[in-house]
Each structure stands twice: as structure tokens, then as C-alpha cells.
């Protein structure tokens, strides 16, 4: 393979937290050299003139739902892979909340085979923590880990039985397996579709107190003190959960936290007149919560931003709000939506990519997510300012349930490379 | 006359002058309804379909009567027994009905927002007859008309709404309407039956009923649903009646000419003492039922006028 030289780039380095002009040499699917300024390209290399645009490590998106097996009409590995490529995402970490759930090495192998065949990006599968995601018996964590599962999660279901969860954490600890949990007190949040408060009451929708998140997080933190397991919260979305997270980290527990892009860019009022594309799990929060969570990402308390990509077809969304399915697609809108935070000067680009690329990669023990020699050449080239109107019918995802339909966004992906191969953009 | 709405989905989108327009017209229908000949043919040739996805006798009868008195062809569809049970979605039901070209669609649905959703898919006028815990606009309008007739005005009154506010669409619509018309609204009930964020509604909240009723002009009682009485929200029926049931002693804290209202059907001995409900000097509960027909006639008349003003689109 010919060397590729990315000249005239604005390098976004999330490890050094720098944003400066530079160039990058890719050799044998890896980053070989990183240069500051504008050095002359080597003779033999294929030169890509970045035109001063941003070059960053490709996004590692933890918690992507690809609806295979079970609901391929909503999203397949091919469509999700192409959508990811278009969104500058070079690794998708897939959720096991398919039908059936990914809870045996056999189903995991199916996922890996399908991904290998159809997806242009890296696919790292997660497996369920309990069989059928039922919260009763733990899955074969060891066998699943050997088969390639990078983390164990029941996705949006909370393991309500504390004994079951503590055993699963203890067992996972012995294998140093990563457990990813959703924090939402199951009793308090039962039946809720929005966050309680004035808006929920005005709309007459069943609400859950934002406190339900902290309650579940507090329980899990106590279990971590008992078990010393490696643990990640999929989404921290409320201000009140942040002090608990901060304390747990300070006390040296092996805890990290993520947040979905929609909770960073939208609030509960966006539901407006029962718009079901804004029905998410957990539900959208107040503006104060949103601002607190954005700040926590900028400060590094919340480690990871992900798309929480959840494809739903029109039939499951065109229903009265309480009956409609939760979730939104996000692969293609993750970066432009996140750029809203940059343009609002709430976070800078290196810190944004720390949350999008570096931290998730570290969490999963990968070498990607950084602009360093010997790291895999997973890269995204984007124009941070290019404005556009999002038209959901143009999305590459099979499902079009984006809350950003018709939204004005800035930030366009010009090219995506996986292992030095261009999978998006014109050569 | 000012009434620009295409549908009547709730009180929230209405301007105060639109509320007054409906009430003024309803007043004239109330007089007409008391005459021997009650018919007026303003809806002649129009088709009204009542779709009730949730059981109702009183509201459905009231809408039916209102339509018939104005000359509409009225059809009732009990949606509980229909294709919804066969798995048809609300939108498909709406499209099916739309193909029959109704002019007025009266809808009640157990889910908040369902009537709004349906209104987006049809090209006739939609009246919300109650959606989940969201709104019940004609109930609030008939309550307003009843108050206006009894008190001679619909502003600067002190009005207490008592009971299960959290689960009540009647309360939501009333809070909004009475607020828009510049009244002081007080909410009385146990905290477990108060909606979240109630402090931001511009109302006063009381847990002590006597304190809440002090010097009010209007006492509006709400129905306590049977399923809320089993210890989940309140300890028991008798404790509820003891603390929040309206009896003569508690009513004594209100103004001496305060009126008592209830949207019905009543649970005598749970939220209201039977003697008070029957006291013709205080209770306007029967008048509320009467005004219900008048208000629904007015609302349908106004919507039909707006419907006629625009060319009928044919949706294929």
C-alpha cells in the first residue's frame, strides 16, 4: 500500500489537547509520522491536501444499535456501516439489545460474521450481561469475552435485583470484563415517558424525577465499592448525578461515564407537541441539566460522548407519545450536532475528540483514538463550519428517526479513513 | 366575532377573546335550548362523527345532542370494540375515517396528545373530548360559562380546584382557562395527587382544604378515580373524605355565596357530601350539564363556520 501524506491539515490531537496546523504520514494502515507546521511531503507518498480542514482521530461510538439480528428492516450492518462512515465514525461498538439478544457466543459470532461481511468500519460487539437481558442469570461472560465481546450490558434495562447485579459484577471482575449499565431507578421510572416537571404536567405525560438517575447510580457505586468491578455508565444526563460520579472517581473506583449526543444538544421542551422523534431513554432533561452535563464533558468528568444510535421505523414512532418507541438515530448527526457545542464555545475541539475518540478507545483498550505514531490510521477529515440543513430522507441509515430533521447544523465530514483506507468522501 | 381555530384541541392555543366568543355564542344556545323548539340548522348537511376510544356516557351524549340540535348528521363510533383491538394504528383509523369525509370529528382517547396526532392526519375539524391527562377543553368552557352565569363575570374571581389534580385533564384545562381570564386559581389536594412542577403554573397550592377554601368564590371538586383509592396515592377512601371531601363544615370557609361545581360523575361520600351536591342554593352541578350542550353547540358552530370559509381539500 502506498503511503498517504495528509498535508496542510488542522490536527486535532485529543491526547495532547492541541489544535494546530500540521501533517500526517500513514504507512501500512498505521499513523507513521505526525508533523507540526507545513513540511514537504515525501516523494513516494500519495498526498491529500486537507486545505486547512480539521483532521482528527476517527470517532469510536459506544452503544450503537444495529438491528441485526431480528429487525434488519430498521438497520443492517451495511447501512449502519455506511452511515457511520458518513459521520466520521471509524469504530462502532454495538449493543446486544437485538432480537434475540446477543447473550451466547453463537449469536455473537453471527454479529461478527455479518459485520465482517458488510460494514466498512470496525465493529466491536458488546454482549448482554444477563441472559435475554432479563436481569436474572448472568451470561457466559468468559466464553463471550473469548469470542470477542468487548463489554457486557443489558442496555436500557436495569438489573433490578441487586444480588444478581452484584454477582455479575463480581464475576466480571475476575475476568476484568467491562460492565456497562443504564442508571434509572426501575420503580420510580416505571411507565414514565418524559422527565417530570412543568412540561410533563402541561402535556399530561407520565414523568420520572431526574432523581431516579442518581438513585440508580448511587446503588451501583456502592456495589463497585464492594466488587471493584470495571464499570461504565452509558448515559449520565442530570446535574444531580454528577457529584456522586465525581466522588466515586475521586475515591479511585473504576468508573467511567458517557452521555448521548441528544442529551447534550436538546432539552425536554423540544418534545413540544408530542414529537415522538424526541422520545428517548432516558427522557430529555431540563435545560439546567443539559448545561451541567455539557460542562461535565468539557471538564472530563463525563468521559465519553456517543450517538446512542437507535433506529426505529415509522410505524413504531407514528403513535401517541406514550405508545411510541424510544430512541433516535445518530451516527450521521453525531459530529455536526456536537459541533453546536464547539460553536457555542462550550467545549473546544481537542476536548470534544477526547470524548468522541480517545476516551472510548482507551476504555476498550484500543490503540485508536489518537494522532500518534503506531496508532491505527482511523481518521476523519471535516469542515467544522460548513452549514447545511438536515434532510432526514437523505440519511444513509435505513431508519430516519432523527430529531434533527430540518435543523441547521454546521460541520461536514469530508473524508473518513479506516486502517488507512478511505471509506467516505471523494479521493 | 373572533375565532380563528381550525380545531378545538385544547385551551392552551386559545386567545382570551376566542374563549369569550365561544361563551357568548353558547349563552344564546343555552337560551334556545330552554325553548320548546330547540333546533337550528347551522350544521345541516355536515357529518359529525364521535369517536370515543375511552368509555364515556355523559360527554358523548352531550356532543351527540349538540350536533343533532344544530342539524348535523351524527354518528357514534365506539372505538373500544372496533379495529383498534385488531391492531390498527390510530393513524390508519384516522385515514379510514377521513376517506368518509366527515366535517366534525369528536375524539376522546386515553393517551395524552393522541387527539393532536389524529388532527394532523385529517382535513376536518377535530374537537378534543378529552385526551389522557392532557386537556378536556369543552369541560373547561362549560365550567367557565357556568361560573360566568352564576357570578356575572369570569375575571377577578378566586377559584379553588380540589382533588386529584395530577391525573385530571379537567383540572389542566381549567387552570389554563381561568388563568387566561385573569382569575386567582388555588389547587387543593394531597401532595401525591399534585402534578410535578406545579409551583411554576402560576397557581397557589394548598394541602389544607380549609385554608385553601378560605374566601373563594367558586369551589370546583374533581372526581377521584376508583383506581387511585387503593393505597397507592391516598391511604383510604375514608381518610380522603375526612381530609379532602367537601362537606358543610369545610364549605363554610368559602364565601357565603360560593358555588359548588363537579364535572361528574360524582362519588358521593368520597369527594363530596351528598347534601351539598343536592343543595340548589350552592350546587350548580346540573347547570354544568346543561351548559355542556350549549358550549359544544357553540364550539361546533364556530368550527363549522371556519371549515366552510376555506375550500374543501380532497385528500386522496
Amino acid at each position: 500500500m502506498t503511503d498517504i501524506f495528509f498535508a496542510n491539515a488542522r490536527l486535532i490531537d485529543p491526547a495532547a489537547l492541541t489544535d494546530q496546523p500540521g501533517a500526517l504520514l500513514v504507512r501500512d494502515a498505521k499513523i507513521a509520522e505526525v508533523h507540526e507546521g507545513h513540511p514537504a511531503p515525501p516523494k513516494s507518498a500519495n498526498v491529500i491536501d486537507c486545505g486547512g480542514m480539521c483532521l482528527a482521530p476517527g470517532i469510536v461510538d459506544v452503544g450503537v444499535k444495529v438491528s441485526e439480528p431480528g429487525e434488519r428492516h430498521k438497520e443492517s450492518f451495511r447501512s449502519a456501516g455506511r452511515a457511520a462512515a458518513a459521520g466520521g465514525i471509524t469504530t462502532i461498538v454495538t449493543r446486544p439489545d437485538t432480537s434475540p439478544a446477543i447473550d451466547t457466543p453463537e449469536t455473537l459470532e453471527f454479529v461478527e460474521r455479518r459485520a465482517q461481511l458488510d460494514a466498512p468500519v470496525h465493529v466491536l460487539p458488546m454482549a448482554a450481561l444477563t441472559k435475554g437481558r432479563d436481569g436474572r442469570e448472568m451470561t457466559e461472560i468468559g466464553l463471550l469475552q473469548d469470542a470477542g465481546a468487548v463489554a457486557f450490558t443489558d442496555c436500557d434495562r436495569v438489573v433490578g435485583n441487586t444480588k444478581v447485579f452484584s454477582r455479575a459484577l463480581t464475576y466480571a471482575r475476575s475476568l476484568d470484563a467491562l460492565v456497562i449499565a443504564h442508571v434509572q431507578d426501575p420503580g420510580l421510572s416505571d411507565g414514565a415517558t418524559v422527565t417530570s416537571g412543568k412540561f410533563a404536567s402541561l402535556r399530561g405525560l407520565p414523568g420520572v424525577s431526574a432523581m431516579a438517575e442518581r438513585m440508580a447510580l448511587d446503588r451501583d457505586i456502592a456495589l463497585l465499592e464492594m466488587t471493584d468491578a470495571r464499570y461504565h455508565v452509558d448515559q449520565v444526563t442530570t446535574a444531580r448525578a454528577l457529584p456522586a460520579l465525581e466522588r466515586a472517581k475521586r475515591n479511585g473506583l473504576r468508573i467511567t461515564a458517557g452521555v448521548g449526543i441528544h442529551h447534550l444538544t436538546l432539552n425536554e421542551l423540544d418534545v413540544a407537541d408530542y414529537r415522538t422523534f424526541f422520545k428517548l431513554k432516558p427522557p430529555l432533561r431540563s435545560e439546567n441539566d443539559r448545561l451541567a452535563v455539557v460542562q461535565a464533558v468539557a471538564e472530563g468528568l463525563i468521559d465519553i460522548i456517543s450517538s446512542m444510535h437507535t433506529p426505529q421505523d415509522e410505524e413504531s414512532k407514528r403513535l401517541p407519545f406514550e405508545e411510541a418507541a424510544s430512541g433516535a438515530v445518530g451516527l450521521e448527526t453525531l459530529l455536526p450536532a456536537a459541533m453546536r457545542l464547539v460553536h457555542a464555545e462550550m467545549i473546544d475541539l481537542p476536548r470534544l475528540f477526547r470524548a468522541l475518540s480517545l476516551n472510548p478507545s482507551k476504555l476498550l483498550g484500543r490503540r485508536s483514538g489518537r494522532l500518534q505514531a503506531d496508532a491505527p490510521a482511523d481518521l476523519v477529515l471535516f469542515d467544522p463550519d460548513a452549514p447545511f440543513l438536515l434532510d432526514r430522507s437523505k440519511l444513509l441509515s435505513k431508519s430516519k428517526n432523527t430529531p434533527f430533521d430540518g435543523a441547521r447544523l454546521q460541520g461536514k465530514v469530508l473524508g473518513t479513513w479506516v486502517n488507512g483506507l478511505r471509506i467516505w468522501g471523494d479521493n | 366575532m373572533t375565532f380563528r381555530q381550525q380545531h378545538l384541541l385544547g385551551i392552551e392555543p386559545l386567545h382570551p377573546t376566542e374563549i369569550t366568543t365561544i361563551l357568548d355564542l353558547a349563552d344564546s344556545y343555552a337560551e334556545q335550548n330552554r325553548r320548546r323548539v330547540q333546533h337550528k340548522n347551522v350544521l345541516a348537511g355536515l357529518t359529525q362523527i364521535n369517536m370515543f376510544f375511552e368509555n364515556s356516557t355523559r360527554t358523548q351524549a352531550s356532543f351527540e345532542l349538540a350536533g343533532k340540535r344544530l342539524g348535523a348528521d351524527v354518528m357514534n363510533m365506539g372505538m373500544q370494540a372496533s379495529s383498534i383491538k385488531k391492531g390498527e394504528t390510530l393513524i390508519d383509523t384516522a385515514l379510514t375515517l377521513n376517506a368518509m369525509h366527515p366535517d366534525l370529528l369528536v375524539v376522546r382517547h386515553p393517551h395524552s396528545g393522541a387527539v393532536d396526532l389524529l388532527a394532523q392526519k385529517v382535513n376536518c375539524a377535530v374537537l378534543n373530548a378529552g385526551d389522557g391527562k392532557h386537556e378536556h377543553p369543552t369541560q373547561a368552557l362549560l365550567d367557565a360559562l357556568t361560573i360566568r352565569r352564576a357570578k356575572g363575570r369570569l375575571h377577578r374571581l378566586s377559584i379553588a380546584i380540589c382533588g386529584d389534580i395530577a391525573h385530571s385533564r379537567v383540572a389542566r384545562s381549567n387552570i389554563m382557562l381561568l388563568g387566561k381570564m385573569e382569575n386567582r386559581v388555588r389547587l387543593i389536594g394531597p401532595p401525591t395527587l399534585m402534578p410535578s412542577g406545579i409551583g411554576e403554573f402560576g397557581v397557589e397550592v394548598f394541602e389544607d382544604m380549609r385554608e385553601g377554601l378560605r374566601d373563594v368564590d367558586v369551589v370546583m371538586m374533581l372526581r377521584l378515580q376508583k383506581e387511585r383509592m387503593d393505597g397507592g396515592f391516598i391511604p383510604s377512601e375514608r381518610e380522603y373524605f375526612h381530609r379532602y371531601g367537601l362537606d358543610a363544615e369545610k364549605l363554610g370557609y368559602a364565601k357565603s355565596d360560593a358555588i359548588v361545581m363537579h364535572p361528574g360523575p360524582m362519588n358521593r361520600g368520597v369527594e363530596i357530601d351528598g347534601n351539598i351536591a343536592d343543595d340548589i342554593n350552592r350546587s350548580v352541578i346540573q347547570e354544568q350539564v346543561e351548559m355542556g350542550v350549549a358550549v359544544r353547540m357553540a364550539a361546533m358552530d364556530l368550527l363549522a363556520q371556519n371549515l366552510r370559509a376555506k375550500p374543501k381539500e380532497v385528500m386522496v
Side-chain angles (χ1 to χ4, degrees):
Chain A
M1 208 164 91
T2 336
D3 294 357
I4 312 170
F5 189 74
F6 291 89
N8 192 19
R10 179 177 159 192
L11 296 181
I12 311 297
D13 184 339
L17 290 178
T18 54
D19 173 356
Q20 58 192 14
L24 199 110
L25 183 72
V26 169
R27 176 178 296 149
D28 297 332
K30 286 186 173 167
I31 296 172
E33 294 166 19
V34 183
H35 300 279
E36 275 179 37
H38 301 280
K43 289 232 161 43
S44 59
N46 176 12
V47 179
I48 291 173
D49 182 358
C50 297
M53 294 300 167
C54 296
L55 186 66
I59 296 167
V60 178
D61 192 1
V62 180
V64 173
K65 167 94 178 261
V66 177
S67 310
E68 283 192 65
E71 295 176 305
R72 201 183 289 180
H73 66 284
K74 290 187 179 176
E75 195 81 285
S76 65
F77 278 99
R78 180 184 298 272
S79 61
R82 289 183 63 217
I89 295 164
T90 49
T91 302
I92 58 176
V93 183
T94 58
R95 300 208 310 249
D97 55 345
T98 45
S99 154
I102 308 304
D103 58 0
T104 62
E106 289 76 15
T107 45
L108 190 80
E109 276 162 24
F110 169 84
V111 168
E112 288 172 324
R113 195 169 66 244
R114 291 285 307 127
Q116 183 74 32
L117 212 59
D118 269 352
V121 297
H122 301 292
V123 176
L124 303 176
M126 298 191 284
L129 182 67
T130 66
K131 288 173 187 162
R133 302 196 297 125
D134 275 347
R136 288 200 293 266
E137 297 165 55
M138 70 177 95
T139 52
E140 296 164 312
I141 296 174
L143 291 178
L144 282 159
Q145 201 174 30
D146 292 346
V150 295
F152 296 84
T153 179
D154 280 354
C155 302
D156 61 2
R157 292 198 195 154
V158 177
V159 181
N161 186 324
T162 307
K163 190 172 267 180
V164 171
F165 194 49
S166 83
R167 282 194 192 129
L169 284 170
T170 305
Y171 192 83
R173 161 78 186 85
S174 71
L175 294 158
D176 204 32
L178 175 67
V179 173
I180 299 185
H182 186 74
V183 284
Q184 195 71 221
D185 184 78
L188 203 56
S189 63
D190 186 32
T193 58
V194 289
T195 304
S196 61
K198 185 186 179 191
F199 179 77
S201 293
L202 270 176
R203 287 288 172 273
L205 292 171
V208 55
S209 165
M211 196 63 99
E213 182 172 292
R214 194 191 103 189
M215 289 168 66
L217 182 61
D218 279 340
R219 179 198 76 160
D220 287 5
I221 288 171
L223 288 173
L224 291 185
E225 285 185 28
M226 278 167 60
T227 59
D228 193 31
R230 213 149 65 81
Y231 172 96
H232 175 74
V233 192
D234 65 348
Q235 305 179 68
V236 171
T237 60
T238 61
R240 279 185 158 150
L242 295 172
L245 177 65
E246 201 271 326
R247 246 186 341 267
K249 283 189 163 187
R250 189 158 20 92
N251 291 343
L253 296 179
R254 300 200 293 168
I255 182 172
T256 51
V259 61
I261 186 64
H262 299 115
H263 289 89
L264 293 173
T265 50
L266 304 168
N267 69 30
E268 57 183 351
L269 301 181
D270 285 302
V271 169
D273 287 326
Y274 305 99
R275 296 195 289 175
T276 57
F277 282 13
F278 293 79
K279 182 175 176 183
L280 303 173
K281 219 169 169 187
L284 286 170
R285 307 301 194 182
S286 69
E287 179 64 3
N288 285 343
D289 281 327
R290 184 186 78 87
L291 293 173
V293 170
V294 170
Q295 195 189 345
V297 172
E299 288 168 356
L301 176 59
I302 292 179
D303 304 84
I304 289 175
I305 301 173
S306 51
S307 71
M308 294 314 292
H309 182 79
T310 306
Q312 297 289 2
D313 54 17
E314 305 286 302
E315 282 68 38
S316 31
K317 282 289 189 183
R318 292 238 159 119
L319 290 170
F321 198 84
E322 287 168 63
E323 289 176 18
S326 302
V329 292
L331 291 170
E332 288 156 89
T333 47
L334 174 57
L335 183 55
M339 288 308 294
R340 278 189 174 178
L341 306 177
V342 176
H343 289 297
E345 296 181 351
M346 299 169 98
I347 192 169
D348 59 23
L349 275 167
R351 282 176 179 78
L352 177 64
F353 276 86
R354 180 175 68 182
L356 287 171
S357 306
L358 177 63
N359 284 343
S361 185
K362 274 186 180 168
L363 179 70
L364 301 168
R366 305 277 141 173
R367 297 269 309 133
S368 62
R370 51 209 106 184
L371 295 184
Q372 281 164 9
D374 216 31
D378 295 348
L379 298 164
V380 52
L381 178 68
F382 65 98
D383 179 338
D385 301 316
F388 66 99
L389 264 182
L390 188 99
D391 174 357
R392 73 186 184 104
S393 67
K394 301 238 165 70
L395 292 178
L396 297 172
S397 278
K398 281 192 182 178
S399 294
K400 316 290 184 193
N401 55 311
T402 172
F404 292 114
D405 186 36
R408 292 164 201 276
L409 295 167
Q410 274 180 281
K412 243 182 173 162
V413 175
L414 305 171
T416 308
W417 287 261
V418 168
N419 289 338
L421 276 178
R422 188 161 199 166
I423 58 164
W424 181 255
D426 307 320
N427 271 302
Chain B
M1 190 202 82
T2 325
F3 188 78
R4 294 177 198 281
Q5 306 289 323
Q6 196 190 339
H7 306 293
L8 181 63
L9 298 176
I11 297 297
E12 197 182 3
L14 297 184
H15 190 272
T17 58
E18 291 179 309
I19 293 170
T20 305
T21 301
I22 299 175
L23 297 184
D24 290 348
L25 183 59
D27 241 339
S28 74
Y29 279 128
E31 297 313 316
Q32 184 192 309
N33 286 341
R34 287 181 179 177
R35 289 188 215 125
R36 182 70 66 196
V37 180
Q38 302 157 325
H39 282 270
K40 199 177 167 193
N41 285 325
V42 296
L43 298 184
L46 298 185
T47 308
Q48 173 193 341
I49 300 183
N50 296 335
M51 286 172 84
F52 280 65
F53 294 90
E54 199 180 71
N55 271 333
S56 158
T57 320
R58 308 156 59 98
T59 307
Q60 187 170 340
S62 181
F63 269 108
E64 185 176 350
L65 197 56
K68 285 183 170 162
R69 286 199 176 148
L70 294 179
D73 298 314
V74 185
M75 187 173 97
N76 287 314
M77 293 182 71
M79 296 310 292
Q80 304 228 295
S82 91
S83 46
I84 283 294
K85 294 264 187 231
K86 297 175 197 157
E88 189 178 57
T89 67
L90 182 63
I91 289 187
D92 285 334
T93 309
L95 293 177
T96 305
L97 272 176
N98 198 50
M100 298 177 190
H101 301 294
D103 302 286
L104 296 157
L105 205 53
V106 178
V107 188
R108 169 170 287 188
H109 197 282
H111 285 136
S112 304
V115 182
D116 297 56
L117 178 68
L118 200 140
Q120 292 163 19
K121 305 292 166 186
V122 296
N123 46 15
C124 59
V126 177
L127 288 100
N128 182 358
D131 64 322
K133 294 180 282 175
H134 179 217
E135 283 231 43
H136 191 354
T138 55
Q139 178 70 43
L141 287 163
L142 75 88
D143 288 341
L145 183 61
T146 309
I147 294 170
R148 199 173 78 167
R149 287 168 70 103
K151 291 281 152 199
R153 66 177 200 274
L154 188 59
H155 55 90
R156 290 174 174 245
L157 292 170
S158 188
I159 298 163
I161 307 178
C162 318
D164 183 1
I165 314 284
H167 301 96
S168 173
R169 53 194 173 213
V170 175
R172 276 177 185 65
S173 289
N174 264 315
I175 292 168
M176 241 168 297
L177 189 151
L178 296 169
K180 278 179 201 264
M181 305 312 280
E182 300 183 5
N183 296 285
R184 282 183 74 163
V185 178
R186 300 172 165 203
L187 304 181
I188 303 171
T192 46
L193 294 177
M194 283 291 163
S196 57
I198 194 67
E200 298 166 55
F201 275 68
V203 296
E204 294 168 86
V205 180
F206 294 87
E207 286 170 21
D208 180 332
M209 191 166 185
R210 290 175 183 84
E211 199 185 319
L213 288 181
R214 196 178 296 278
D215 295 331
V216 299
D217 300 292
V218 178
V219 182
M220 209 180 259
M221 301 305 298
L222 296 173
R223 175 179 166 76
L224 185 71
Q225 307 279 342
K226 287 271 180 212
E227 59 266 29
R228 318 273 181 233
M229 296 177 197
D230 57 6
F233 291 89
I234 51 166
S236 73
E237 212 174 293
R238 62 179 188 179
E239 174 156 341
Y240 186 79
F241 184 71
H242 176 68
R243 295 190 62 202
Y244 297 103
L246 186 67
D247 54 19
E249 187 264 326
K250 292 195 196 90
L251 185 57
Y253 286 81
K255 280 191 186 154
S256 57
D257 62 346
I259 55 169
V260 174
M261 307 176 74
H262 193 293
M266 281 181 282
N267 297 309
R268 288 171 186 258
V270 179
E271 70 254 357
I272 190 162
D273 185 304
N275 292 331
I276 297 217
D278 298 333
D279 180 352
I280 51 164
N281 295 318
R282 308 303 291 272
S283 161
V284 292
I285 295 171
Q286 295 310 315
E287 170 129 358
Q288 284 176 275
V289 178
E290 185 188 352
M291 291 310 122
V293 179
V295 150
R296 287 168 182 130
M297 289 167 80
M300 289 198 288
D301 184 358
L302 290 166
L303 287 171
Q305 288 178 33
N306 290 353
L307 197 67
R308 285 195 170 109
K310 66 169 193 149
K312 185 152 184 168
E313 306 154 30
V314 179
M315 203 146 77
V316 185

